[in-house]
Amino acid sequence: MKPLKILLYCMFTALLACNPKSKTTQQNPNIILIYADDLGRGMLSSYGQKHLTTPNIDKLANEGMRFSNVYGCMFCAPARASLLNGMHDCHKQIWSLTDAGIYKELGKSLTYNQIEEKIHKLAPPENEGEVFLADVAKRQGYITAEFGKLEWGFATTAERVKSHGWDYHFGFYDHVRCHGFYPPFLFENGEVVSIEGNTHADCGKTASFESPEEYKKRWDMTGKAVYSDKIIMDKLLAFMENNNPQKTGQPFFIHLPSQLPHGPISVPEVHPELKNNKALTEFEKEYGTMVKILDEDVGKIYAKCKELGILENTIIIFTGDNGHEVYTRQAGKTEHGRATLDGGKFDDIHTKFYSEINGDVFDGNDGMAGLKRSNWEGGVRVPLIWYWKGKIKPGTQSDQLVANYDLLNTIAELTGGEIVKGKDSKSYAQTLLGNKSEEHKYTVFASVMGPAIVTNDGWKLRYYTRKKVFQLYNLKDDYREEKVLNARFPEKMEALKSILLKECDGDWKNGGYPKFSIIK
């Protein structure tokens, strides 16, 4: 090659290296956030489940980092709002929440534009100055996409999803319809996508308890041609294929807020691993199958990363919204979490839900007290696993206190962005990389009962607002919340009470059940 040509070649390659739009280089890792619905951490074999295995989720834990001290929220809507906003849910309500069900009227009494107008009156798209989880990735050049049970509910629109930073989305706009698994339609960037063969307006929603009659209804597959999880996963995997950073040079951030394993129970078939499990009823086998399907989805995502040649530079995060809920309700065997097997009710002061008392064979809350919606540990503790090959040391565990709202600034730091000010979110990126992040001194969360605070050294104060009862525990010595310590440590109780009230913006009611605007 002649000297001039050599010079021109060197100049050209140097320009390519400096050009931020060049498709030859990808600096930041792809990020895939898998967000399970109502998955108590005890349902995973990596956290101790004995009746079924979750090998694909376990693989992420074995090859990455598993956290043991992680807090979500009391149930789905505030959990998702908290995740996407980077704020805890004890504040005076800072996000718009609507009731659900309006999309059942689509094509009957209302058009999409009419539904959108009604929702926007109560929950308009966000202002441009707001920063959400997807935005911190977009700032660093990511293409963003969301699949499944979209946004924080209970009803949303394409404009709202877009205003939260998602370039592409596919799934449910309504948190009532997504409790069925055979939708006649879903949404793709605001466009209705009809699902041929699915004919039930309620998406084939089943009953929340077992009986011979309900079993028969559940397995009547008339009008149930395509399981929603399959449709959603097909779209997600196609997005990965079409936006392969090896070809585009642009990293992606994908959020999968799954329907699974939220009940009522519904599956296309019982998983082979569970069919002959004599320790489980048929209803329990079906519920276990929902967890197995979720685990297989994780396996499909991992395999697609490998197929596309991007596994080496992809972060996979697995977590959930809130604690466990009992969906296997059967007479004489398993009761709902707020009722005893003998027909009584827990008072949630002296008596409360434990798996062995209520017949929950899975022990989905991992031995803790309480369930979803409560401020007992079983209502808010969630699994959290991070996988990043070559960056996160395989097989590591962390007991650092973290919360769902911490994901926002953790991702901001990992992608080289600025920490977003004015958020409750605290980055734990350095912990993932083998160093030590600054830890929360405490976290707070709301519940249907009232707010609670947990410190990083294990102290917990819960408040039952309606009964005006405070209870102090030390979780380091009392994982099951059985020993009330008010009398022994009155100064500690008063100190935590003061902090908790401040975090509730001066009003205990802010730590209770959120207000939902009724769409008319």
Side-chain angles (χ1 to χ4, degrees), residues 170 182-186 193-199 225-227 231:
F170 180 87
Y182 295 93
F185 62 87
L186 291 170
V193 177
S194 297
I195 314 299
E196 188 175 350
N198 288 354
T199 61
V226 189
Y227 197 62
I231 309 165

Side-chain angles (χ1 to χ4, degrees), residues 98-116:
T98 64
D99 65 339
I102 192 168
Y103 279 99
K104 288 191 288 187
E105 299 304 314
L106 182 64
K108 296 179 182 178
S109 62
L110 295 170
T111 65
Y112 175 75
N113 287 340
Q114 289 171 325
I115 291 173
E116 182 181 58

Side-chain angles (χ1 to χ4, degrees), residues 96-365:
S96 301
L97 296 171
T98 64
D99 65 339
I102 192 168
Y103 279 99
K104 288 191 288 187
E105 299 304 314
L106 182 64
K108 296 179 182 178
S109 62
L110 295 170
T111 65
Y112 175 75
N113 287 340
Q114 289 171 325
I115 291 173
E116 182 181 58
E117 183 179 351
K118 286 176 176 290
I119 293 173
H120 287 176
K121 283 182 180 178
L122 304 172
E126 306 294 341
N127 298 324
E128 288 187 7
E130 294 288 339
V131 179
F132 298 94
L133 181 64
D135 291 324
V136 299
K138 283 176 70 70
R139 287 177 170 184
Q140 299 306 110
Y142 283 71
I143 184 170
T144 61
E146 185 178 41
F147 299 84
K149 184 176 176 177
L150 300 172
E151 300 303 280
W152 56 72
F154 275 125
T156 193
T157 68
E159 284 302 309
R160 278 184 59 79
V161 177
K162 183 179 178 182
S163 74
H164 297 148
W166 305 107
D167 297 315
Y168 173 89
H169 68 267
F170 180 87
F172 291 90
Y173 283 174
D174 190 300
H175 285 206
V176 162
R177 293 182 68 252
C178 69
H179 295 162
F181 288 79
Y182 295 93
F185 62 87
L186 291 170
F187 287 97
E188 184 172 32
N189 293 342
E191 299 295 324
V192 175
V193 177
S194 297
I195 314 299
E196 188 175 350
N198 288 354
T199 61
H200 295 270
D202 65 354
C203 304
K205 184 178 178 180
T206 61
S208 59
F209 58 90
E210 181 65 305
S211 70
E213 295 76 21
E214 294 304 330
Y215 177 87
K216 186 177 179 180
K217 288 180 186 177
R218 196 165 63 250
W219 286 103
D220 179 357
M221 303 306 287
T222 306
K224 302 176 186 175
V226 189
Y227 197 62
S228 55
D229 181 73
K230 182 184 185 308
I231 309 165
I232 291 164
M233 282 302 298
D234 285 348
K235 286 287 186 178
L236 186 152
L237 297 173
F239 181 88
M240 292 176 66
E241 183 90 41
N242 296 332
N243 293 275
N244 183 354
Q246 296 278 55
K247 297 178 181 178
T248 67
Q250 182 182 24
F252 57 64
F253 174 38
I254 292 175
H255 179 212
L256 172 60
S258 176
Q259 291 170 272
L260 295 165
H262 194 299
I265 295 168
S266 180
V267 294
E269 61 182 346
V270 175
H271 194 279
E273 180 184 292
L274 298 170
K275 275 185 177 179
N276 299 316
N277 188 329
K278 295 180 180 179
L280 304 177
T281 66
E282 288 303 309
F283 208 34
E284 289 166 343
K285 291 175 186 178
E286 292 173 36
Y287 179 67
T289 295
M290 295 176 83
V291 178
K292 292 291 295 183
I293 294 171
L294 175 64
D295 181 72
E296 289 174 350
D297 289 346
V298 173
K300 290 173 185 176
I301 289 170
Y302 186 97
K304 177 59 74 170
C305 287
K306 198 168 184 179
E307 175 194 325
L308 297 177
I310 60 174
L311 188 61
E312 302 284 335
N313 196 31
T314 297
I315 295 171
I316 303 176
I317 310 161
F318 182 91
T319 188
D321 54 357
N322 47 251
H324 185 54
E325 177 66 295
V326 175
Y327 287 110
T328 55
R329 293 176 62 188
Q330 298 172 264
K333 189 176 193 308
T334 310
E335 242 313 339
H336 194 274
R338 279 151 288 281
T340 60
L341 286 177
D342 61 6
K345 289 186 177 181
F346 298 115
D347 65 18
D348 279 308
I349 296 175
H350 306 100
T351 59
K352 48 192 174 287
F353 176 93
Y354 289 107
S355 294
E356 67 273 20
I357 294 174
N358 259 45
D360 179 20
V361 67
F362 292 110
D363 188 24
N365 62 2

Side-chain angles (χ1 to χ4, degrees), residues 490-519:
E491 292 182 0
K492 175 62 72 174
M493 187 179 74
E494 290 302 320
L496 293 180
K497 189 189 298 186
S498 177
I499 297 170
L500 182 56
L501 182 58
K502 181 181 177 182
E503 292 295 338
C504 289
D505 296 333
D507 188 345
W508 294 117
K509 291 180 181 178
N510 292 333
Y513 199 80
K515 295 177 182 177
F516 293 91
S517 300
I518 306 300
I519 304 171

